[in-house]
Amino acid sequence: MRLQINYKCINNDYSQEYADEYHWGKESENNQKYHWGKSFELPEVTEVSKPDEPFKLRAELEDGTQLEKELENVYILRVRFEDGQKDYAVSNLLLKNTHEAYSKKEGVKRFYFYLNEEPKAYEVLDGVYLTEKEAGGDGFIVV
């Protein structure tokens, strides 16, 4: 199966009323629904799950020392492939909501993470968004 993952940061100042009145219901240059968005597609996915477990954030220092900490308040989307797996994740402090859809015609499953404006989202790893405090150095242990 093909899986498309989408991240969208909601613009709280967006006005549907303004869009309806002045732009035929569509967003415009000065009235955008999202501040930013990122999407990518993964081919040959064998399974998608949402484990209810702490997220393990791993880092490596310049000297090769491996660090790790567990974060409890993180939404994890685990994607399995023939040769392994990868976790995509968003802090629940950033997450407004999620949505998933499947297009039988296209053969694509889509998963959307909608992020709040505040606190600011930091992409600490490819596909992993955390708050500055969660991404910071506190709580890491040497593994």
Side-chain angles (χ1 to χ4, degrees), residues 1-5 40-45 79 81 88:
M1 130 178 74
R2 290 181 8 225
L3 174 68
Q4 185 184 78
I5 300 177
F40 51 92
E41 193 168 297
L42 305 168
E44 301 179 26
V45 171
V79 179
F81 307 92
Y88 298 87

Side-chain angles (χ1 to χ4, degrees), residues 4-11 27 32-41 90 111-117 121 123 126-127 129:
Q4 185 184 78
I5 300 177
N6 303 279
Y7 300 87
K8 295 178 180 284
C9 181
I10 297 169
N11 178 2
E27 61 184 319
Q32 305 241 341
K33 287 183 181 181
Y34 307 106
H35 289 294
W36 56 266
K38 179 179 179 178
S39 297
F40 51 92
E41 193 168 297
V90 174
F111 195 88
Y112 298 87
F113 289 103
Y114 294 98
L115 304 154
N116 293 307
E117 280 183 308
E123 187 175 24
D126 189 33
Y129 290 87

